[in-house]
Amino acid sequence: MNIILFGPPGAGKGTQAKHLVEKFKLFHVSTGDLLRNEIRKKSDIGKKIVNEMNDGRFVSDDIVNELIKDIVLDPQKKEKLIFDGYPRSISQAKNLDLLLSSSEQKIDLVIFLNVNKDTLIKRIEKRKIIEKRSDDNLETLAKRYDTYMDTTRPVLDYYSKKPNFHEVDGTLKIDQISAKIDAFLNF
Ligand code: AMP
């Protein structure tokens, strides 16, 4: 079972991904985490992307596509992938389709966590205190949200026509959202 968790920044994708990883033994593919890890390691990629990340801008497709390639093609992780924060554009969605079909895989479930902007702002303010992420501030969130609406939301049209697409109210309590997602997996 390969799953995409889709939604705006602060929708709770990471929280739900962690729950699914524990319950169904899946591999969490968070491009945000992979990129933050490059910055932490001070790798060449990390040095290249640090400003874009801090400003809430997209990292280039080439870098992100390269980072996920080995994970998607890893036989140990085959059909156990849960994507969080990827794909974020139509070109990334097409890249993912190519990678999956070349390894005889597909996306089995797309879950859209729908959350309104006011709730996102409140959550990001809280997350800033807890996780101390350098891109969690109101100015950067506004930019990330606009990019989401312009570039990422169109990816929904790409997936929403498929039968395995489900929308969940992302303003519900964490456990309620998890229960709804579990039901899609257990049907
Ligand atoms: P996230 O942890 O998913 O909220 O991502 C944090 C930041 O990492 C984003 O604001 C972007 O700067 C960068 N990023 C994460 N995933 C992607 C992606 N798929 N494409 C481009 N940039 C990304």
Side-chain angles (χ1 to χ4, degrees), residues 9-10 13 30-33 35-36 52-54 56-61 64 84-89 92 127 133 135 144:
K13 302 186 292 294
S30 158
T31 41
D33 284 352
L35 293 165
R36 279 185 286 278
E52 285 156 337
M53 292 270 296
N54 285 342
R57 281 178 282 140
F58 269 15
V59 170
S60 78
D61 282 351
V64 181
D84 155 13
Y86 187 94
R88 253 177 159 95
S89 62
Q92 291 182 7
R127 187 169 75 181
R133 268 178 57 166
D135 60 347
R144 280 157 64 204

Side-chain angles (χ1 to χ4, degrees), residues 39-99:
I39 294 176
R40 217 170 294 126
K41 286 193 301 191
K42 295 193 169 63
S43 67
D44 289 344
I45 291 180
K47 286 176 199 155
K48 233 186 256 175
I49 63 173
V50 65
N51 291 332
E52 285 156 337
M53 292 270 296
N54 285 342
D55 288 351
R57 281 178 282 140
F58 269 15
V59 170
S60 78
D61 282 351
D62 286 353
I63 290 178
V64 181
N65 290 343
E66 192 57 36
L67 281 177
I68 67 143
K69 188 174 161 195
D70 289 346
I71 300 174
V72 176
L73 300 183
D74 181 346
Q76 306 240 1
K77 301 189 171 95
K78 190 171 176 179
E79 282 165 1
K80 293 179 191 152
L81 301 166
I82 172 149
F83 294 94
D84 155 13
Y86 187 94
R88 253 177 159 95
S89 62
I90 297 284
S91 73
Q92 291 182 7
K94 289 188 173 156
N95 177 70
L96 181 60
D97 277 352
L98 282 177
L99 278 179

Side-chain angles (χ1 to χ4, degrees), residues 18 47 55-56 68 86 111 115 141 144 147 149 165 182:
K18 280 188 193 101
K47 286 176 199 155
D55 288 351
I68 67 143
Y86 187 94
I111 294 160
V115 182
L141 172 66
R144 280 157 64 204
T147 311
M149 289 308 270
F165 176 87
D182 289 356

